[in-house]
Structures are given as structure tokens and as C-alpha cells.
Amino acid sequence: MINGERTIQRPLRWGMIGGGRTGQVGYKHRTGALRDGTYQLVAGAFDLDAERGRDFGTNLGVSGERCYATYQALIAGETAREDGVDVVSIATPNFTHYEITKACLEAGIHVICEKPLFFTVAECDEIAALAASKNLIVGVTYGYTGHPLVRQMAAMVAKGMLGEIRIVDMQYTHGFNAGDDTDASEAQVWRTNPATAGATFVLGDIGTHLYYLSEVVLPELKVEKLLCDRKAFIPSRAPLEDHATVLMHYDNGARARIWVSSVNAGNMGSQRYRFVGAKASLEWSDSHPDQLIYEVQGEPCRILHRGMAYLEEDSLALDRMGALHTEGLGDSWSNIYLWIAEAIDAKMRGDEAFLSTHRYPDLKAGTEGVRWLENCVRSAEAGAAWVDFA
Ligand code: NAD
């Protein structure tokens, strides 16, 4: 179980390129990286708008001199320092990934890059050679594959608990682009332009998550051939797609179907993975993220729960909350810590007006819990009698 204890020799000095105030994914990087103290955010070229990026970075606690106007300035500034960044995360639109990664590696900085990694396999191969020659790491943020139940699926497949894999059925869809792109956000505009998104829209945007996940769960299987049927239901997005179905044949004869779509109208986001073997199946869906359905042919269906001791060691090693709590509880704790920090800050500044409307679990909330307990005990000790709440 992960409990925040340090597992590396020292915290990494970390910088961000992109992921600024208006960026969609930047906060996911920061909450992921900063949670255990493994990374310390010390520098950034957060935004195309240099002034906004500087203002944002200093609000995050990065010193002004280390909030850079461009990624080139970040590389120059950080490599000139004794305490320069060890690693940067790249959370910029797709078309910039390759050039920024290359520049960072050439400067001796490890890289964590967003998906889809680059535009071509040739670029990936070139970067792999560069990283190897510099002895540097490149990581990719396929966020869902850190889930303990994904590791559980992989471990069960590896143990042969499903038998020979026959069918893979995966879905990642949402409906947020069901309408046209009039008034599209900055992030939607670059996603539907081949020059900035690359050769795909939803396949790269969400389909790559599924494909990597299938590789994590089924590392022994190799795709032999595939068929991709894609379409832009909103014509202005062509030649890129807002919907696609991919069929795949694996080297063991297994078949796969992958559905990705951003025009699944009314759908807030659905991920579903089903792996079917000759003996049994596993199914996970983000509508019940703590549960893994394990169905053995001819036996009652079982629901495996995240964090329970009967899971594989690989899965338990990734758990952060224990089975009693949902993983989302970590986000809730962060909010509570933030609210209390804001209250302390207001108290320090003497801002009683702020405090009069600010809501957080305060002393009164604690007191009411104690009062409720006193009433419960009074009732219980009276032989489970009704008592007036006092
Ligand atoms: P966005 O358009 O919302 O934000 C991009 C950010 O990068 C903005 O802050 C922008 O000012 C900044 N930026 C752009 N060019 C820059 C440059 N040259 N130097 C410095 N900053 C620059 O985009 P987004 O939705 O956050 O997506 C960013 C990347 O993250 C994309 O590759 C996308 O595919 C990926 N993404 C991944 C996930 C995931 O789950 N892993 C989720 C969303 C997005």
C-alpha cells in the first residue's frame, strides 16, 4: 500500500511546460506529481502567454525568476543553475511534444510527456535513441493505468485465470463534442486541426489510453492486423475523426473491438474494458471504479473490490486508501486541506469578512459530532430509548 513514504533517494526538482491556468490537463499533473512529495515544482514555462504563465507560476509557489516565457528560456535558465530541474512534464498541444522533448533531452533533462507522444513512429525512434545516448528517461502520462484494478487484471491474466485470451472489448467515449465547433475552446480548436493534433482526433486523444491499457493487461499478445473505421460526424473536423471503431486480430487468434467517440451524445464519459478468455472474463468500468467483475463460466459472478486482501500483490501495492474508502476520497481530502488553509490565511490577515462566509469542517462541525455521540450514548445507556437531542 502506498502511504506517502519516500521511495526514491531525494525529491525530484520538477518543471512544467504548458499546463497553465487555462490548460485542461495541467492540474492532473500537479495533483499526481505533488501528492507524495516525490516531485517539487520549482520551474515552469506554463503558458503561451508569458505574463499569464508567470502570474500563474508564482501563484503556484514557483519563484518569479524560474517562471520562464518559453520552454527554450526554461532549458537555458535551468541548465545554468546548480539546482536546475531534473525532469520536466510537457502538457502542451500535441504538435509541440516532439520538439520540446528533443530539446529537453539534448539539455540533459528527463521528460514526462503527454500522449499522443509524437506524430510519427520515426520521431519516437529518434527520441528513443537520443534518450538512450543521454541516459535519460521519457515517461508518458497514460493516467488510467496506475489504477490498482488494472494491475489486478494484468496479474490474473498472467496467472492464466482467464485461460487463453479470445476477446478484448474496450470503450472510451463521451458526448462533449456532439455539437459543432462554433465557439470551440482553444483546446478543441487545436485538437481538430491536423497541423496541431496530428493525424487523429479521438483516436489519439482517448483511444491511445485504451491501446496502452490493453498492452498492460495483455503483454504477451501482439496485434497482427487491424481495421479502423473512422468518421467526422461534424464535417468541419474532417479529415480527423470524432468517432472510430477499431477491430484488431492478435497473434494468438484473439479478436478486439475498440470504440472511441466524442459524439456519444448525453454521455459524460464512459470507459469500459472487458477481457474474455476461454474459461473466464474480467470487466471494469469507470462507473464502478472500485469493482472488478470476474465471471467464470458456469459459476456465480464475483465482484472483486479494490484494496481487499484477496487481490494480487501487484494490485494491493498500488492501493492508497484501503477498501473501505473510494479512491476519490484523496481529492476530497485535498479540498478540505485547502479550505482550512484558506481559513488560517484569512485569520492571519485579520479578514473576518472572508471567514464569516467561508465554509469548511470547523470547530463547530467537530463539536456537533461530539454532541451527536453524547446523545447516542445517553440513548444507548437508557436501554436504546428515545431521548430528546440536546
Ligand atoms: P490545453 O489547450 O487546454 O492547454 C495547453 C496548455 O499549454 C496551455 O496552458 C497553453 O498556454 C500551454 N502551451 C501551449 N503551447 C505552449 C508552449 N509552446 N510552451 C509553453 N506552454 C504552451 O490542452 P490540454 O487539453 O491540457 O492538452 C495538453 C496535452 O495533454 C495534449 O497533448 C493532450 O492530448 C494531453 N491530455 C492528456 C490527458 C490525459 O489524460 N493524459 C488529458 C487531457 C489532455
Side-chain angles (χ1 to χ4, degrees), residues 343 345-356:
D345 179 68
K347 188 59 89 180
M348 287 169 163
R349 292 184 287 104
D351 190 346
E352 292 300 325
F354 175 85
L355 285 167
S356 69

Side-chain angles (χ1 to χ4, degrees), residues 122-261:
E123 288 173 347
C124 296
D125 291 345
E126 184 197 325
I127 292 294
L130 176 60
S133 74
K134 294 279 190 178
N135 203 25
L136 293 168
I137 296 287
V138 177
V140 182
T141 40
Y142 287 119
Y144 283 88
T145 50
H147 196 290
L149 290 181
V150 172
R151 285 295 176 89
Q152 176 69 18
M153 288 192 273
M156 291 175 75
V157 169
K159 283 175 100 173
M161 292 174 74
L162 273 58
E164 183 73 19
I165 297 298
R166 290 176 170 169
I167 303 162
V168 177
D169 191 17
M170 306 179 89
Q171 171 187 347
Y172 191 169
T173 65
H174 63 82
F176 287 102
N177 305 128
D180 68 21
D181 288 334
T182 315
D183 302 326
S185 67
E186 203 181 308
Q188 177 63 3
V189 169
W190 70 252
R191 274 176 167 79
T192 50
N193 176 352
T196 46
T200 64
F201 169 24
V202 289
L203 283 161
D205 207 38
I206 50 185
T208 45
H209 285 289
L210 294 184
Y211 184 65
Y212 177 63
L213 198 136
S214 72
E215 289 188 299
V216 168
V217 176
L218 308 170
E220 302 299 329
L221 298 198
K222 298 288 164 267
V223 176
E224 278 190 335
K225 55 183 178 180
L226 68 72
L227 177 157
C228 176
D229 178 30
R230 68 173 180 166
K231 178 178 170 75
F233 278 98
I234 304 301
S236 64
R237 294 174 189 151
L240 305 189
E241 76 294 338
D242 49 28
H243 169 92
T245 311
V246 182
L247 302 180
M248 302 193 298
H249 288 187
Y250 286 97
D251 57 356
N252 73 335
R255 299 292 194 258
R257 175 180 71 169
I258 291 183
W259 174 28
V260 287
S261 181

Side-chain angles (χ1 to χ4, degrees), residues 270-286:
S270 293
Q271 280 193 65
R272 195 181 58 80
Y273 325 130
R274 185 170 176 85
F275 297 95
V276 182
K279 296 190 293 200
S281 304
L282 288 170
E283 181 162 331
W284 181 89
S285 145
D286 60 358

Side-chain angles (χ1 to χ4, degrees), residues 88-148:
V88 296
S89 289
I90 301 171
T92 53
N94 302 351
F95 74 104
T96 63
H97 294 175
Y98 166 76
E99 69 173 51
I100 300 176
T101 300
K102 188 173 177 188
C104 290
L105 293 176
E106 281 169 346
I109 301 169
H110 299 281
V111 169
I112 298 166
C113 187
E114 266 303 347
K115 43 50 51 183
L117 186 56
F118 308 131
F119 278 13
T120 66
V121 172
E123 288 173 347
C124 296
D125 291 345
E126 184 197 325
I127 292 294
L130 176 60
S133 74
K134 294 279 190 178
N135 203 25
L136 293 168
I137 296 287
V138 177
V140 182
T141 40
Y142 287 119
Y144 283 88
T145 50
H147 196 290

